[in-house]
Amino acid sequence: MFKIKVKKGSAYAVKNPAPCCLAVTVHREGPVEISYNPSKPPHVFFDTNVLLGLSKAGLESLQLLQANRGFRYRYSMLNYTELLSHLGDEPSTKYPNPFRRYQAAFQKLAQLFDGVLPSAESTFMQAVGLKHYLDPVWVVNPSDIARQVKIVASAGTVEDLLKYNIDPAHYKRLREVDGNSFVSMMKPVKTFTTEMGSGDEWGTWLGHFCSFIIFRASSRKISFGKIAKKEQLRVIKFFNEAGGGMFLHHLKLLVKKAVKDGRKEYANDFYDMLQLLLLVDENLLFVTSDKPFFEYYAGPTRHRVVPWEGFKASADPLVS
């Protein structure tokens, strides 16, 4: 069961929320409720797989929700990077024309979506007070990204994109580097002898992981160990707040699966976690079909993640 509640100034069945805030409540009986202030409808972004699988019926549901609920749809730079990186894929039996498959997602972005979100990297560095270390490569120019989305949406071939300096191979290399770095970071946890989160080895590893996020966002200019003590404390505090707390919950889930279940580390897990940093924006909602995001619950005002099928189905009562 899936409900969307719009009640001005009420608690929306959420225990002690911030006044009129966006909240996602999961009840014991099973229903999921999205509640928000109608004068400030949420911005909604989607997992890349949802965008890829968006059918005509799904698109119509989003249009209904947009028209009747006031939702504003956004896409992330992680969506952009993942989709663009596949435009140059070789044909296969399953996907004989990968260019058209991934281009179709860009066409939907150009048709219905209201621009790009800030990068996860800039969101993180801003939130922890380290924006002065952020490398300019992570600063998003919304008008330029919108221009590139339109170019991709109307292109005939990959060669057409190269004329505009849009190179899918560059983004594929970026994903490979990020994925390999993440997998390497995860491997040591399988050798730890203490319970997850306890003991010096876990504290040291989490510190290294945190340092990796900073090191990457600064393009190797700074690491956790080199920032001032008060800045370190702010970073630590961030992982107990909106966005950062969700990132940490998801990281712990992946660690648990790796240690106790022997689950293989997947490169794309890193991007799955990174997009959760965007939930620093307390009026932002994330929609996904990936089950791991629903294997834990961080509370109504932090766990602003909802299942795609339920979100789509909430448009059914709006059909006249």
Side-chain angles (χ1 to χ4, degrees), residues 189-210:
V189 304
K190 292 186 176 181
T191 67
F192 291 173
T193 57
T194 55
E195 285 293 318
M196 183 175 60
S198 64
D200 292 342
E201 57 189 1
W202 284 103
T204 300
W205 180 80
L206 285 170
H208 285 319
F209 199 98
C210 180

Side-chain angles (χ1 to χ4, degrees), residues 46 48-62 104-105 108-109 112-113 308 312:
F46 299 81
T48 302
N49 286 331
V50 172
L51 298 177
L52 274 173
L54 194 56
S55 63
K56 180 181 178 182
L59 201 61
E60 289 173 351
S61 293
L62 292 185
K108 292 160 190 169
L109 296 183
L112 188 63
F113 286 66
W308 162 237
K312 179 176 63 173

Side-chain angles (χ1 to χ4, degrees), residues 245-316:
M246 283 293 293
F247 180 96
L248 188 58
H249 269 286
H250 205 79
L251 178 59
K252 287 180 176 179
L253 175 70
L254 294 178
V255 167
K256 179 182 176 182
K257 286 178 175 290
V259 174
K260 293 189 175 182
D261 305 333
R263 179 184 180 271
K264 179 183 176 182
E265 302 84 5
Y266 291 97
N268 209 52
D269 287 339
F270 180 57
Y271 281 6
D272 284 347
M273 282 194 305
L274 272 186
Q275 59 197 343
L276 294 174
L277 295 174
L278 297 173
L279 295 176
V280 166
D281 179 346
E282 295 184 349
N283 200 42
L284 190 61
L285 191 68
F286 177 49
V287 179
T288 178
S289 295
D290 288 355
K291 292 181 180 178
F293 291 102
F294 308 106
E295 293 181 27
Y296 57 93
Y297 183 55
T301 58
R302 289 194 180 183
H303 204 116
R304 284 168 277 115
V305 182
V306 296
W308 162 237
E309 289 301 325
F311 185 78
K312 179 176 63 173
S314 68
D316 292 346

Side-chain angles (χ1 to χ4, degrees), residues 125-169:
M125 295 294 268
Q126 172 80 37
V128 299
L130 297 177
K131 190 177 181 181
H132 49 292
Y133 291 120
L134 178 69
D135 191 278
V137 72
W138 301 113
V139 178
V140 176
N141 181 331
S143 60
D144 187 52
I145 295 299
R147 178 186 67 86
Q148 292 182 50
V149 166
K150 289 180 180 178
I151 290 171
V152 175
S154 60
T157 64
V158 171
E159 287 69 30
D160 291 340
L161 303 181
L162 296 177
K163 296 174 186 177
Y164 295 93
N165 295 317
I166 301 173
D167 183 6

Side-chain angles (χ1 to χ4, degrees), residues 199-236:
D200 292 342
E201 57 189 1
W202 284 103
T204 300
W205 180 80
L206 285 170
H208 285 319
F209 199 98
C210 180
S211 191
F212 167 63
I213 303 298
I214 296 171
F215 191 65
R216 179 177 173 275
S218 67
S219 293
R220 304 187 175 192
K221 291 194 291 286
I222 196 69
S223 62
F224 182 78
K226 293 183 179 179
I227 59 178
K229 184 69 174 179
K230 65 178 182 180
E231 291 174 325
Q232 291 180 345
L233 292 174
R234 180 67 192 91
V235 171
I236 293 169

